[in-house]
Amino acid sequence: MGAATPVEVTVPDQAPRRTALITGATAGLGAAFARRLAAEGWDLVVVARDAERLATSAEELRARHGVAVSVIPADLATESGVGTVEERLRNASAPVELLVNNAGIGLNKGFLRSTLDDELRILRLNVEAVMRLTFAVLPQMTERRSGDVINVSSVSGYGVTAPGSTYTATKAYVINFSESVGQSVRRHGVRVLALCPGFVRTEFHQRAGIPTAGSPGWIWLDADSVVDGALSDLRKGRYVSVPSMRYKIAATALRHAPHALVRRFSEAGNRAVGRGAR
């Protein structure tokens, strides 16, 4: 018998690895984004202030999902912290395809009882860091003609839902900034989404010292469900994601109801629930 004719086997190219960078990745929505994206096979760069907790979270994600996870311990309210993450986002040899700007804080005190340092910190983290990290990543994305940015805002950004608090002002910036930049980069194949949840079961309120014991159960959202909805809305090409019908109605009311009526309800809501929504 003659020698068998060799058969050429074509091995399909392996799908390229995608990388997402998530700020505030050790708790709440940031941790939920990390779990969801790792389950989808994304490699991750996770950012948070607590280096020990960050390392533990990264190891759990690697072990459970078999993805690469690198860590950047950084305080994004500081120049050195935000600068370190900017440098990673500009690294052309390891491009980031999805940026999730989740890190943020609230203050459980009105403006007149606050301090200048606290007010500057909330501006640096909730506003400046979001703008700077978005600015750092977009040039590469627009050049590649692909990439996504999710900026975590709040439904409270649609109105003065916490009288005396500057938190809602910072979140209003994130909504308007995201929609405006999103419109300008869409023609380059890049999507920018503002995620505007209401009250989510996370550590946010506890860290801010905001009481929630008297709040009704129906106002709370599940972090994993919020993340699933945000990714779905991003992939549908939407500019804003407001999870659940009750918060969609709230956002519509805040935008279109007479200001006097909004003020009356927000004052009553603050007495019943406590300041802040995230």
Side-chain angles (χ1 to χ4, degrees):
M1 296 179 62
T5 303
V7 177
E8 184 177 343
V9 178
T10 302
V11 179
D13 293 335
Q14 188 175 14
R17 304 288 294 191
R18 301 171 297 172
T19 299
L21 187 148
I22 306 166
T23 69
T26 56
L29 289 175
F33 270 110
R35 291 191 300 269
R36 182 70 167 84
L37 293 170
E40 290 185 359
W42 287 75
D43 290 336
L44 302 177
V45 181
V46 290
V47 181
R49 286 189 300 165
D50 189 330
E52 183 176 350
R53 188 174 183 183
L54 192 61
T56 300
S57 297
E59 185 55 41
E60 290 174 353
L61 291 165
R62 293 187 197 106
R64 178 170 298 182
H65 301 289
V67 297
V69 184
S70 58
V71 302
I72 302 179
D75 182 351
L76 296 180
T78 66
E79 181 62 32
S80 62
V82 75
T84 299
V85 181
E86 284 177 315
E87 184 177 355
R88 174 61 185 86
L89 290 170
R90 293 189 178 116
N91 184 354
S93 64
V96 168
E97 285 84 10
L98 170 61
L99 167 64
V100 180
N101 276 314
N102 167 72
I105 56 172
L107 299 173
N108 184 30
K109 51 188 171 183
F111 187 69
L112 293 178
R113 295 188 295 111
S114 188
T115 66
L116 183 58
D117 285 344
D118 283 344
E119 293 299 329
L120 289 173
R121 181 172 178 78
I122 196 173
L123 282 174
R124 291 188 185 113
L125 185 55
N126 291 15
V127 173
E128 182 181 335
V130 170
M131 181 273 292
R132 287 179 59 172
L133 299 187
T134 302
F135 189 80
V137 80
L138 282 182
Q140 285 190 43
M141 288 183 172
T142 55
E143 185 176 349
R144 293 194 311 266
R145 304 194 70 81
S146 68
D148 299 313
V149 177
I150 297 176
N151 293 325
V152 177
S153 181
S154 168
V155 72
S156 69
Y158 283 114
V160 184
T161 58
S165 170
T166 53
Y167 174 81
T168 57
T170 68
K171 293 305 182 179
Y173 172 89
V174 174
I175 296 170
N176 284 278
F177 168 75
S178 301
E179 286 198 77
S180 177
V181 174
Q183 291 176 35
S184 70
V185 300
R186 182 61 60 94
R187 67 181 184 275
H188 299 292
V190 178
R191 299 173 295 195
V192 179
L193 176 83
L195 171 57
C196 302
F199 288 88
V200 183
R201 290 288 185 190
T202 70
E203 298 176 11
F204 175 80
H205 298 89
Q206 180 182 355
R207 288 183 174 185
I210 298 170
T212 60
S215 58
W218 61 265
I219 72 170
W220 294 100
L221 300 172
D222 171 70
D224 292 314
S225 297
V226 171
V227 167
D228 287 347
L231 292 172
S232 176
D233 285 340
L234 176 73
R235 291 158 185 168
K236 290 174 183 176
R238 293 174 177 163
Y239 290 101
V240 178
S241 177
V242 180
S244 87
M245 183 55 64
R246 56 188 177 274
Y247 281 113
K248 285 180 171 64
I249 293 171
T252 300
L254 287 169
R255 281 181 289 179
H256 301 296
H259 284 186
L261 184 61
V262 172
R263 284 195 297 270
R264 184 180 305 172
F265 277 101
S266 68
E267 289 167 358
N270 272 277
R271 287 191 295 270
V273 177
R275 297 188 186 91
R278 172 73 178 270

